[in-house]
Amino acid sequence: DGLSEVLGDMCHNLMVTLSAEKIILGGGVMQKHGLVEKVIAATTARLNDYIVMPAGVGLDDIICLPGLGTRSGLFGALALLDS
C-alpha cells in the first residue's frame, strides 16, 4: 500500500531526526481500517532495528491514533475558542 509506505517513511524520519516519543496520526485518511497497523509495519521495516526501544515500549506505543478519535478537531477548536 503506497500510503502506508509514505507515512512509514515520515514516521521513520521523525524518529531518527527528532527522537519523537509520540506520533499521533489523525484526520480522515487515518479512518481507513488497518492503516495505522500498516504504517507501524512500514516504519519497523524502515528502522531496521536502528533504534533500540526501552523495555516494554513498542512502535505501537509511539505511533497511534488520536485519543479522542474523530472528535479531536472539534474539541481542539472549542479549547481555542475558550482560551
Side-chain angles (χ1 to χ4, degrees):
D1 182 283
L3 178 59
S4 61
E5 298 295 322
V6 170
L7 291 172
D9 286 341
M10 179 195 70
C11 291
H12 165 270
N13 291 338
L14 288 171
M15 293 182 73
V16 298
T17 59
L18 302 174
S19 299
E21 295 180 12
K22 186 68 79 172
I23 301 172
I24 301 171
L25 302 173
V29 169
M30 294 309 297
Q31 298 304 308
K32 183 177 176 185
H33 181 69
L35 182 57
V36 72
E37 290 81 9
K38 290 179 182 179
V39 171
I40 292 170
T43 305
T44 301
R46 298 288 185 282
L47 288 173
N48 196 27
D49 294 326
Y50 181 73
I51 295 176
V52 177
M53 301 291 195
V57 176
L59 280 181
D60 56 335
D61 298 312
I62 296 172
I63 302 170
C64 61
L65 297 171
L68 296 173
T70 59
R71 297 173 295 174
S72 58
L74 175 64
F75 287 132
L78 288 172
L80 285 173
L81 182 66
D82 189 45
S83 63

